[in-house]
Amino acid sequence: MEVDYFSPQSLNHGRGSDESGIIFHPEKTTLPLFYILETMVDGRLVRKQIPSIFIARYPELIEVAKAHKDFSDEEQKAAKYSGQTQAAKRFSKFNGFNQFVIFLEKGFVTRRATSYLRAIILWCNYYENLKKYEIEHKKSSGSYLWMFEFEDIKAFRQWMSLTDEEMARTGIMAKKVPGGTLMVPPGVKPSVKNPQLPNISDSDSDIREMITSGLNESADVTTGTASGTFASIKATRGSMSDRISDEVAYFERFLRHDFWGSIFFLKSAIGAFPETIPVREAVEFKGGKPKFKSIAYRPEKLIDFSFPISETIDYESRAKAFLGSKHGPMNETVGLPNKDLSNQLGFGGYGRRRLRKATEDDKYPKLVYTLDAESLQEKTEGEPSRKKKPKKDNDSANEAEG
């Protein structure tokens, strides 16, 4: 079995359904059957057709694909085992194919998928141009111009009658430096002018909002700067957290069912890998005690995934709202499994981590629990009690001795 990676650019967009480079099912328009690829091998262009994983699961779909005008047995030979070898016989149930494509595209492989970036390209260009204009605007705001005003026509004519050396000595035509000295002839009044331009800072908020709405993100997440109040930013955390949870849930389902499910399916079809694995689980309660039964699960159902947890989820407020301000652990008060609680905290693979914990307990010395450590410290380092024992009277003691 071979696994190939190819970019969407390698698809032959001149062929396939609607020139998409993919042969789709004629009735199920989101069901891909074959991918028509073009690759360069040793300097020559090679065309081949690789079936999707649906062809492996449902080989009868090949008869449907044959009705397409671009279906080619010759181009499919590169994705098949040739000859009468043992490997070729094992893949005969897949019509000889040993390569399949698993595609990740939001659950659908559309013919002309429009990326979410398409909605923000225009506004990104506007935002970039606006920032360029803003830079020029700030440059012009910092510019200035020296002006020399002649008080009468006589002074102007007198200035014009000066030689170049005499004009240079006055400093009027020389470059002005901060802290320098400027000597002007009588009748000349110097001044400095700079443009009085309106402020255009923060005038791009509407364009930035168009970009963030197209990205489906909060403005502070996109820019990295929070401009609103704490309450306004906190109000956006819920929707942002939901979107992150949706992405994680979708990616987990793709890995479990589409990716690993397909790998286990192919492995069990051509090898000795089991199609299902029995697992002992509790199925019901009788007389307050759980009743166990062996249940067959597909292998992909038994895989544990670990994903980073979103820090935007406020677990404390949620727990107080449903369980009260003073509540015990949910595995004891509500009866939830420790596996689900650890997953919510971002620790996946509960069974694997329990085995690691047992290994550490067997390998390393036992740790002192926090409460036990505090009790031990109070006994060893605490101050003695201030209550004194009553002393016996000397007379009564002597009488007792006599």
Side-chain angles (χ1 to χ4, degrees):
M1 184 67 62
E2 298 181 11
V3 178
D4 293 337
Y5 169 80
F6 66 90
S7 62
Q9 289 77 14
S10 60
L11 289 172
N12 188 332
H13 294 286
R15 302 168 61 189
S17 302
D18 295 338
E19 298 183 355
S20 61
I22 305 174
I23 298 177
F24 286 89
H25 193 284
E27 298 176 358
K28 302 176 178 63
T29 56
T30 59
L31 179 63
L33 301 179
F34 280 88
Y35 294 83
I36 307 174
L37 306 180
E38 289 184 347
T39 56
M40 297 297 296
V41 179
D42 297 333
R44 60 188 183 89
L45 184 64
V46 177
R47 294 185 177 90
K48 60 180 180 179
Q49 295 184 10
I50 301 180
S52 70
I53 191 63
F54 301 108
I55 295 295
R57 291 182 177 270
Y58 312 102
E60 63 273 11
L61 291 177
I62 293 183
E63 299 299 326
V64 179
K66 286 182 178 179
H68 197 278
K69 60 181 179 62
D70 291 327
F71 183 88
S72 174
D73 291 322
E74 184 66 24
E75 295 180 359
Q76 296 172 10
K77 290 182 178 180
K80 291 184 178 181
Y81 268 118
S82 59
Q84 298 296 325
T85 61
Q86 186 65 24
K89 293 180 181 179
R90 287 189 298 173
F91 284 92
S92 60
K93 61 180 65 178
F94 301 134
N95 295 287
F97 289 107
N98 68 326
Q99 296 182 23
F100 301 94
V101 176
I102 301 174
F103 198 80
L104 172 63
E105 177 58 32
K106 298 297 182 183
F108 295 97
V109 181
T110 55
R111 299 187 177 185
R112 286 295 180 183
T114 301
S115 171
Y116 68 93
L117 295 177
R118 176 65 179 85
I120 67 171
I121 290 178
L122 176 64
W123 300 108
C124 285
N125 292 333
Y126 283 152
Y127 189 81
E128 182 180 0
N129 292 333
L130 181 60
K131 287 304 176 183
K132 291 180 180 179
Y133 299 151
E134 187 173 341
I135 292 175
E136 296 297 329
H137 181 274
K138 292 180 178 179
K139 287 182 179 179
S140 60
S141 298
S143 63
Y144 60 91
L145 179 66
W146 283 91
M147 297 185 62
F148 295 90
E149 183 179 359
F150 291 90
E151 297 179 351
D152 52 38
I153 191 64
K154 182 180 179 180
F156 176 72
R157 290 178 178 177
Q158 185 178 2
W159 165 258
M160 294 299 296
S161 64
L162 297 177
T163 63
D164 295 339
E165 295 180 356
E166 292 174 341
M167 288 183 179
R169 266 184 286 176
T170 62
I172 294 179
M173 304 303 295
K175 183 178 180 181
K176 314 300 184 297
V177 294
T181 301
L182 179 64
M183 181 179 294
V184 295
V188 180
K189 182 180 179 182
S191 62
V192 180
K193 301 292 184 180
N194 65 313
Q196 302 298 323
L197 301 178
N199 185 16
I200 63 173
S201 299
D202 297 331
S203 61
D204 52 3
S205 58
D206 52 347
I207 298 180
R208 188 172 62 246
E209 289 174 358
M210 294 295 295
I211 298 175
T212 55
S213 62
L215 291 174
N216 204 15
E217 289 183 349
S218 302
D220 61 293
V221 175
T222 303
T223 61
T225 302
S227 58
T229 61
F230 175 77
S232 63
I233 295 174
K234 187 177 181 180
T236 63
R237 298 303 93 179
S239 58
M240 188 67 188
S241 177
D242 290 343
R243 288 193 287 267
I244 295 175
S245 300
D246 293 343
E247 292 290 336
V248 172
Y250 162 71
F251 187 58
E252 179 181 349
R253 291 168 186 170
F254 164 77
L255 291 176
R256 185 183 304 278
H257 301 288
D258 292 350
F259 186 74
W260 285 109
S262 300
I263 291 178
F264 291 143
F265 167 77
L266 296 174
K267 181 64 177 179
S268 61
I270 65 175
F273 194 81
E275 293 185 3
T276 58
I277 298 176
V279 178
R280 183 174 178 268
E281 285 190 358
V283 294
E284 60 179 344
F285 286 96
K286 282 190 175 181
K289 296 183 179 180
K291 183 179 180 181
F292 292 89
K293 184 179 179 181
S294 180
I295 301 177
Y297 283 101
R298 297 189 65 87
E300 61 268 19
K301 287 284 189 178
L302 305 178
I303 299 179
D304 286 328
F305 296 97
S306 299
F307 295 101
I309 184 173
S310 174
E311 296 296 336
T312 60
I313 302 176
D314 190 0
Y315 285 108
E316 183 179 2
S317 299
R318 185 181 302 181
K320 288 182 179 180
F322 290 102
L323 302 175
S325 58
K326 296 181 180 180
H327 58 272
M330 296 187 68
N331 57 344
E332 299 293 341
T333 57
V334 185
L336 294 181
N338 292 330
K339 180 179 180 180
D340 293 346
L341 296 177
S342 62
N343 288 336
Q344 289 295 325
L345 293 176
F347 299 100
Y350 178 74
R352 183 173 66 255
R353 295 178 185 272
R354 286 292 302 269
L355 293 175
R356 290 180 182 176
K357 177 65 166 55
T359 303
E360 290 182 353
D361 292 341
D362 181 71
K363 184 177 180 181
Y364 300 108
K366 186 177 181 181
L367 299 174
V368 180
Y369 188 56
T370 305
L371 298 180
D372 296 338
E374 291 180 358
S375 177
L376 180 62
Q377 185 179 10
E378 289 177 357
K379 292 180 180 180
T380 57
E381 301 179 6
E383 296 181 357
S385 176
R386 295 183 178 180
K387 295 182 179 180
K388 297 182 180 180
K389 296 181 180 180
K391 294 182 179 181
K392 294 182 178 180
D393 187 56
N394 293 334
D395 297 336
S396 61
N398 294 331
E399 292 177 359
E401 291 178 359

